[in-house]
Amino acid sequence: HIVVTLSADREQIGLAIEDDGTGIQPDSSVARGMGTHLMNYRARIMGAALRIEPRPAGGTLVSCLVHRENLTEQNSYVGRD
């Protein structure tokens, strides 16, 4: 099962994706793969914080949190080709 949650308030926007699969180990090679590298890069471009961690009950939690003040036209991909 996968749960996707999008939340927002006046200060920040958050996206969380969690599953109940086998999960990842914090020191696994998955945590250093190209996909993870690209997700971190894209989060940093917009001033967001990305976390990838195992869930206590099993599975994986991927969360991204960005403060609205970091979302300017200069670093936003919205509307660009």
Side-chain angles (χ1 to χ4, degrees):
H1 297 94
I2 298 173
V3 176
V4 178
T5 306
L6 181 62
S7 59
D9 60 28
R10 290 178 176 252
E11 297 178 10
Q12 58 193 13
I13 301 169
L15 174 67
I17 303 147
E18 53 189 311
D19 68 34
D20 60 356
T22 59
I24 60 168
Q25 299 302 316
D27 60 345
S28 75
S29 63
V30 173
R32 295 182 302 269
M34 184 58 77
T36 303
H37 174 74
L38 289 171
M39 288 191 296
N40 275 307
Y41 172 75
R42 289 176 178 151
R44 283 192 318 270
I45 284 176
M46 62 183 205
L50 179 74
R51 291 176 52 187
I52 303 172
E53 57 195 349
R55 291 179 57 224
T60 303
L61 171 62
V62 177
S63 59
C64 186
L65 183 66
V66 63
H67 291 276
R68 288 181 183 265
E69 65 192 28
N70 293 341
L71 296 176
T72 64
E73 187 174 328
Q74 178 181 350
N75 62 14
S76 176
Y77 287 110
V78 177
R80 293 188 181 180
D81 293 313

